[in-house]
Amino acid sequence: MTAVVRIAPAEGGLLRVITPPPGDRGPAPSVLDPAPGVDVAVLEVAGGLLTWSVLALDAVPVAVLDDVDLAQEWVWALYGEQVALGLADDTVTESAPEQPEPVEVAVLPALPALVASARQLAFAHWAARWWPASVIDDIPPLDARLLDREIGDLTEECDLLFAGEETADSRPPDSPDAESAAVEEPPRATDYALAAGPAAGTGTPGPAGAGGLTLARGTGGSDWRRCPPGLVDASERAVSWEVVRAAARTTVSVSVVAAPGPVTVPGELTPRATVSGAADPLDLALRLVDDAWLGDAPFDTVRTGDPAPGGAGLAVDIYLPGFGTPRPHDRPDDGAAAAAEVRARIRTLVRSRLARATGEDENRDGDGDGDSAPGPLLRTEIAAATAETDF
């Protein structure tokens, strides 16, 4: 069955969007979405941005274009001549000043090999930022230098997509060392910024609190959007906390397993923890001790009804000051459960890809549902899966 895309104006007619029809899981992701998703791979190209969900990399990408003329250098190759003509007809001109109606056009790529390389390049950029390296979940980190070289090779293969564009610094605006090399990008593109590499320590220490009466304890994960890679383990069990009452004093202790791999961030950039559940949220500084980020503070103003041993009443949010989009801590009724489900599907995807690299996965034809491994493997993934390590 031939794929179809919809060409429509956006942002008051300033942009043009090429998007496939909604799938079983809703609309395909784009950089116009209100918040970035950790499953979204983004590629900045001449005249706009392309996006795929890594859980469905065989799908047609969404294109958000701010320069149609520049984008026409590659639209025919990626989507086909009919889409390029439909996009030209869709453009507002002096002779056709009215906003055109959205149109649906069949996708027949002129250069299928370019489509595959572009998808692979987007996934490589995604892996540089969102790869869920975890000691707890037994997911090895990727070699940052090897991945950088592979991204360079794929970029050369996709040079048609960047025709007319100057080569920019690959560091994202919100990466730890980008202050001295800021890159101007569309505002929403920075939300998907692709920081580099994994980092810091291994192990699973418990909370720092000791002695006294334990009022509550719990474990959980972190929102990957709040920290760059290389700081904390990506597992949903990487964050643990404990509230202890001793000597007429209540203390909350937080422990976060550090990310595996070599340290790639400056030492002064340390994560913090926000503890919700007191009369006022409590902000804790964390320090790296062996293989974990630890912090504790007095916690004498617990809300009515002390938190239950299972963790009810308290929530711990791990973040790096100045990184990502500041926002309140997620609750189950505002998307936390859905976000955790996406992270779980990403881990399933990554494990499947790593299993393919070692020949352990019989499902060679991934269908993109998160339970299999769509798309060809990166050389970097194969190296990580076959390396002689403790993973």
Side-chain angles (χ1 to χ4, degrees):
M1 181 177 177
T2 302
V4 173
V5 292
R6 188 172 186 258
I7 302 173
E11 300 285 320
L14 297 177
L15 305 175
R16 287 294 177 272
V17 179
I18 303 173
T19 183
D24 294 339
R25 296 182 180 271
S30 98
V31 293
L32 298 179
D33 294 341
V38 296
D39 65 320
V40 181
V42 179
L43 193 60
E44 184 174 2
V45 294
L49 294 147
L50 298 171
T51 52
W52 293 260
S53 168
V54 296
L55 300 169
L57 279 176
D58 55 342
V60 176
V62 174
V64 175
L65 309 176
D66 57 14
D67 188 330
V68 171
D69 290 339
L70 197 57
Q72 288 285 26
E73 296 290 330
W74 53 263
V75 166
W76 62 272
L78 219 59
Y79 293 96
E81 185 178 353
Q82 293 183 51
V83 176
L85 293 174
L87 186 62
D89 293 340
D90 174 81
T91 305
V92 175
T93 64
E94 292 182 2
S95 59
E98 297 298 324
Q99 286 294 339
E101 292 295 322
V103 296
E104 290 192 351
V105 186
V107 175
L108 296 168
L111 298 178
L114 178 63
V115 177
S117 294
R119 186 173 59 221
Q120 187 80 332
L121 177 57
F123 182 82
H125 276 299
W126 174 88
R129 173 62 181 93
W130 300 115
W131 184 265
S134 171
V135 174
I136 300 172
D137 293 336
D138 197 27
I139 297 177
L142 301 180
D143 185 298
R145 288 176 294 183
L146 182 59
L147 184 56
D148 282 345
R149 288 196 294 270
E150 190 160 6
I151 287 174
D153 293 342
L154 288 166
T155 300
E156 290 184 8
E157 291 180 22
C158 299
D159 62 342
L160 178 63
L161 297 175
F162 314 110
E165 292 287 287
E166 294 293 332
T167 302
D169 191 315
S170 61
R171 289 173 293 184
D174 58 354
S175 64
D177 59 348
E179 292 181 2
S180 61
V183 178
E184 292 186 6
E185 295 183 8
R188 289 186 177 88
T190 62
D191 290 336
Y192 291 85
L194 307 164
T202 56
T204 359
L213 174 66
T214 299
L215 301 178
R217 61 164 57 96
T219 59
S222 61
D223 185 336
W224 298 347
R225 296 169 297 183
R226 304 299 308 277
C227 284
L231 282 183
V232 301
D233 191 288
S235 173
E236 295 299 309
R237 297 172 291 152
V239 181
S240 56
W241 56 266
E242 187 175 56
V243 179
V244 175
R245 182 73 175 175
R249 185 178 184 224
T250 303
T251 302
V252 60
S253 301
V254 175
S255 173
V256 187
V257 179
V263 175
T264 59
V265 295
E268 65 271 14
L269 294 178
T270 58
R272 299 182 68 88
T274 299
V275 181
S276 302
D280 296 305
L282 184 64
D283 193 64
L284 277 68
L286 301 178
R287 62 194 183 281
L288 186 63
V289 179
D290 296 328
D291 300 324
W293 297 98
L294 306 178
D296 55 80
F299 193 66
D300 297 323
T301 53
V302 179
R303 293 185 186 276
T304 303
D306 285 345
L314 280 187
V316 178
D317 186 28
I318 307 302
Y319 73 99
L320 179 69
F323 186 89
T325 304
R327 58 179 182 79
H329 186 83
D330 280 335
R331 293 294 187 177
D333 59 356
D334 63 9
E341 180 188 1
V342 171
R343 293 195 295 267
R345 294 182 66 216
I346 287 174
R347 293 187 192 92
T348 299
L349 168 75
V350 165
R351 289 193 184 98
S352 180
R353 293 178 69 91
L354 292 173
R356 278 177 55 195
T358 57
E360 298 174 5
D361 188 359
E362 296 181 358
N363 183 4
R364 302 280 176 161
D365 300 315
D367 57 10
D369 63 1
D371 297 323
S372 53
L377 298 176
L378 297 170
R379 299 193 303 269
T380 317
E381 292 177 283
I382 297 172
T386 56
E388 295 293 331
T389 68
D390 293 334
F391 284 88

